[in-house]
């Protein structure tokens, strides 16, 4: 009985899926790191009093949020070829850029919302003390806003992690692609995909639980 | 100490201040009273340039602060402001609230600022709260911390915008007590308030504002016992 299970495809697929899981996690983290930086810039840009800057940042957010991520991935990978930009972008770089660009649009909204949610009086109290605009943002508004960003950022982590499965179209060896490669040979999509989904849940459920605990601790 | 000359302030097409002339002497406590919407807060906020003035001139301690070339941050660091809703920084401890300005604006060392901060906390009767966060304080305690935070900058003038009107009645007294101490020590103060008792007892002069102008001014006895302007009379009869 146990021997049967150990010899089944539920187990035999794992050595192929574990590296895929590593790629999924690695690409998500790398993409989100860049996405956060870009998102923070775009989000603060949307709050700018210069119409050109805030307009451009809004445009960016609308375009990214209004188009499918799959199209964005293909656009970067297949659209921006040697003919267009002078060189080809490899699948891994494409993956990181695609996740970053996509997540940045959502993170921009998170950042903007969080900064916006800090009471005006906080800003005024800082300025009234004689702090410059920059100091007020840095010491007063930003730290409070950052705390409010953590829950939605954690949420974005889960979303971006699942979105990496779309990268299978450009043959990046992330979790879903690794599974597809396996069942194409063994013809066991049922067992394979169950294991693929289980491994996604192994990443997303702990992330959600940790997030809920953090929310309680930060009291946001 | 403060001279205001023909101050006008518009918000878009709405004219909120319609030519204010006022003078505040050194060590003087001036109370500003008047109905809601008359422009009291706006007037006060113009004094430390939290609102940019539409026209007119404000001089503080000899400096024309409405001059566009003036260093706004330097002006504000010399004018303390206490808000109706305290506006303490919730992510900082009570002591950090007080020392932030001195450290970042005046370049004081942390040690110097901490010592100073603790003695200010003692002055407002809250030395045991230094390491607490604002959320754990009562409204009256918060407002006293806010006053200490302003005093830490060693301002030449203190502006108060209805400092007690967000407080439960039983907490008002402690805050007024701190303000009275300040007045006795010779701090120059401009206080927007509905506390007529405070204005009578501590105020040297009372300004009655209505619809963006100063309708009447005088010492507290004059204004409260013998108001001349019919609008002052009707305002006082409603609130006294
Ligand atoms: N930022 C703003 N934009 C537009 N209008 C404003 C702004 N701030 C104040 N006003 C308007 O200016 C007028 C005067 O407001 P202000 O807050 O100075 O009155 P106030 O005398 O302090 O009243 P209260 O006793 O209610 O505090 C009001 O009509 C108000 O709606
Ligand atoms: Mg007001």
């Amino acid at each position: 009985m146990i021997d049967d299970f150990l010899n089944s495809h539920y187990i035999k697929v794992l050595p192929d899926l574990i590296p895929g899981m590593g790629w999924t996690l690695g690409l998500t983290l790398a993409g989100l790191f860049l996405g956060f930086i870009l998102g923070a810039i775009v989000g603060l840009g949307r709050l700018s009093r210069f119409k050109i800057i805030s307009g451009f940042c809004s445009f960016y957010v609308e375009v990214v949020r209004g188009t499918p991520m799959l199209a964005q991935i293909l656009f970067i990978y297949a659209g921006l070829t040697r003919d267009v930009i002078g060189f080809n972008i490899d699948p891994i770089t494409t993956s990181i850029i695609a996740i970053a660009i996509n997540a940045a649009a959502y993170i921009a909204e998170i950042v903007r919302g969080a900064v916006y949610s800090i009471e005006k009086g906080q800003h005024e109290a800082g300025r009234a003390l004689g702090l410059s605009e920059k100091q007020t943002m840095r010491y007063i508004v930003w730290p409070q806003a950052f705390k409010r960003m953590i829950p939605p950022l954690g949420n974005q982590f889960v979303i971006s992690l699942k979105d990496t499965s779309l990268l299978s179209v450009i043959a990046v060896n992330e979790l879903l692609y690794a599974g597809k490669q396996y069942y194409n040979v063994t013809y066991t999509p049922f067992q394979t995909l169950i294991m693929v989904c289980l491994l996604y849940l192994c990443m997303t459920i702990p992330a959600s639980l940790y997030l809920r605990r953090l929310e309680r601790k930060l009291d946001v | 100490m403060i001279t205001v000359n023909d101050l006008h302030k518009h918000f878009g097409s709405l004219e909120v201040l319609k030519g204010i002339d006022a003078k505040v002497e050194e060590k003087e406590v001036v109370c500003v009273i008047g109905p809601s919407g008359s422009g009291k807060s706006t007037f006060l906020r113009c004094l430390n340039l939290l609102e940019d003035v539409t026209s007119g001139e404000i001089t503080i301690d000899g400096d024309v602060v409405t001059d566009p070339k003036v260093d706004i941050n330097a002006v504000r660091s010399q004018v303390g402001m206490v808000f109706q809703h305290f506006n303490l920084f919730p992510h900082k401890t009570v002591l950090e609230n007080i020392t932030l300005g001195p450290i970042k604006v005046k370049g004081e060392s942390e040690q110097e600022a901490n010592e100073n901060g603790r003695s200010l906390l003692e002055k407002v009767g809250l030395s045991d709260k230094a390491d607490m966060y604002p959320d754990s304080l009562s409204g009256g305690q918060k407002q006293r911390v806010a006053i200490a935070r302003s005093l830490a900058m060693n301002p030449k003038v203190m502006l108060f915008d209805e400092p007690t009107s967000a407080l439960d009645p039983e907490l008002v007294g402690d805050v007024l007590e701190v303000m009275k101490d300040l007045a006795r020590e010779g701090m120059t103060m401009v206080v927007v308030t509905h506390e007529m008792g405070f204005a009578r007892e501590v105020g040297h002069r009372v300004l009655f504002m209505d619809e963006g102008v100063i309708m009447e001014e005088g010492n507290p006895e004059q204004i409260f016992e013998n108001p001349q302007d019919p609008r002052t009379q009707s305002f006082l009869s409603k609130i006294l």
Side-chain angles (χ1 to χ4, degrees):
Chain A
M1 197 21 211
I2 289 187
D3 269 4
D4 278 357
F5 179 68
L6 287 179
N7 277 321
S8 73
H9 285 287
Y10 290 111
I11 299 301
K12 284 208 294 200
V13 71
L14 284 178
D16 283 33
L17 293 187
I18 301 290
M21 199 175 160
W23 277 107
T24 289
L25 206 56
L27 291 172
T28 305
L29 290 175
L32 279 183
F33 176 75
L34 294 178
F36 181 73
I37 296 172
L38 184 61
I41 294 170
V42 175
L44 293 179
R46 285 199 72 174
L47 295 166
S48 168
R49 40 200 167 92
F50 299 108
K51 284 259 154 54
I52 303 179
I53 297 178
S54 64
F56 178 80
C57 292
S58 305
F59 177 73
Y60 173 87
V61 170
E62 293 310 326
V63 167
V64 172
R65 293 205 307 181
T67 53
M69 186 170 179
L70 193 52
Q72 294 162 13
I73 293 168
L74 288 172
F75 183 82
I76 297 168
Y77 185 66
L80 299 178
T81 55
R82 185 179 297 276
D83 299 341
V84 181
I85 54 169
F87 57 91
N88 288 317
I89 307 177
D90 66 87
I92 301 296
T93 314
T94 301
S95 303
I96 295 173
I97 294 175
I99 296 166
I101 285 185
N102 185 268
Y106 295 92
I107 291 172
E109 288 299 276
I110 293 171
V111 169
R112 185 177 75 112
V115 169
Y116 208 73
S117 75
I118 304 301
E119 300 68 35
K120 251 177 65 196
Q122 291 291 309
H123 186 267
E124 273 183 1
R127 295 310 304 270
L129 280 174
L131 295 171
S132 66
E133 179 63 30
K134 239 191 185 149
Q135 287 175 315
T136 304
M137 288 309 284
R138 168 153 174 218
Y139 299 116
I140 295 165
V141 177
W142 190 255
Q144 294 182 61
F146 193 74
K147 217 171 99 170
R148 292 188 193 176
M149 283 175 216
I150 289 175
L153 280 179
N155 204 25
Q156 184 60 40
F157 171 80
V158 171
I159 292 171
S160 288
L161 187 126
K162 291 186 295 180
D163 281 349
T164 54
S165 61
L166 295 170
L167 296 165
S168 57
V169 292
I170 57 168
V172 172
N173 193 32
E174 44 71 47
L175 184 50
L176 183 64
Y177 186 78
K180 251 159 91 183
Q181 294 292 90
Y182 183 86
Y183 73 66
N184 277 344
V185 176
T186 60
Y187 302 107
T188 53
F190 180 81
Q191 294 93 321
T192 308
L193 287 170
I194 282 194
M195 291 316 283
V196 165
C197 288
L198 269 179
L199 290 182
Y200 274 116
L201 289 172
C202 281
M203 296 185 282
T204 53
I205 288 178
S208 298
L209 289 178
Y210 176 70
L211 204 67
R212 227 170 290 161
R213 247 188 47 199
L214 198 65
E215 269 173 53
R216 234 173 298 137
K217 215 172 97 193
L218 289 173
D219 193 24
V220 279
Chain B
M1 179 59 80
I2 304 180
T3 316
V4 179
N5 256 328
D6 198 25
L7 174 66
H8 290 258
K9 170 68 186 171
H10 296 247
F11 288 111
S13 59
L14 179 70
E15 186 171 24
V16 175
L17 300 181
K18 303 172 180 164
I20 304 258
D21 293 289
K23 236 185 161 86
V24 181
E25 302 298 337
E26 197 170 339
K27 304 194 177 188
E28 195 180 21
V29 177
V30 173
C31 293
V32 183
I33 61 172
S36 181
S38 56
K40 305 180 298 291
S41 298
T42 307
F43 171 55
L44 211 60
R45 293 159 57 81
C46 283
L47 292 181
N48 72 346
L49 310 177
L50 277 181
E51 303 288 355
D52 39 57
V53 310
T54 308
S55 69
E57 191 180 77
I58 301 172
T59 315
I60 297 181
D61 199 26
D63 300 323
V64 182
V65 301
T66 39
D67 186 332
K69 287 193 295 273
V70 83
D71 177 358
I72 291 185
N73 297 328
V75 172
R76 290 188 181 133
S77 72
Q78 301 180 351
V79 180
M81 176 114 182
V82 174
F83 301 89
Q84 182 176 0
H85 296 287
F86 333 124
N87 299 352
L88 292 179
F89 308 132
H91 60 303
K92 296 190 171 292
T93 65
V94 163
L95 189 61
E96 287 167 349
N97 263 274
I98 298 174
T99 57
L100 181 73
I103 292 173
K104 299 301 175 196
V105 179
K106 298 210 297 183
E108 277 182 23
S109 73
E110 212 174 304
Q111 196 197 348
E112 191 183 356
N114 279 343
E115 274 170 26
N116 216 336
R118 283 184 196 280
S119 71
L120 282 168
L121 276 176
E122 202 176 307
K123 179 174 174 157
V124 299
L126 295 170
S127 7
D128 52 330
K129 308 286 187 207
D131 300 316
M132 307 246 263
Y133 283 87
D135 280 345
S136 59
L137 304 181
S138 74
Q141 292 170 334
K142 282 182 192 165
Q143 195 58 297
R144 285 183 279 155
V145 172
I147 292 173
R149 176 174 70 179
S150 287
L151 289 176
M153 295 300 288
N154 209 358
K156 293 174 180 160
V157 189
M158 288 281 283
L159 310 176
F160 295 83
D161 192 358
E162 300 194 28
T164 56
S165 51
L167 300 178
D168 292 337
E170 72 271 21
L171 301 174
V172 169
D174 291 338
V175 173
L176 290 181
E177 222 30 70
V178 168
M179 291 170 63
K180 284 179 199 168
D181 282 344
L182 269 180
R184 268 181 231 120
E185 288 165 21
M187 175 62 79
T188 309
M189 296 162 59
V190 182
V191 187
V192 174
T193 186
H194 292 305
E195 294 290 332
M196 297 306 151
F198 175 85
R200 241 181 243 243
E201 188 185 335
V202 188
H204 299 120
R205 206 142 48 85
V206 176
L207 309 183
F208 172 71
M209 270 185 82
D210 196 13
E211 294 184 1
V213 292
I214 296 176
M215 295 294 290
E216 186 168 359
E217 66 172 285
N219 64 39
E221 289 89 84
Q222 277 171 324
I223 298 286
F224 292 120
E225 313 299 342
N226 194 13
Q228 300 300 309
D229 192 279
R231 275 205 269 185
T232 320
Q233 289 164 359
S234 99
F235 173 74
L236 287 172
S237 70
K238 267 185 233 140
I239 59 162
L240 285 180

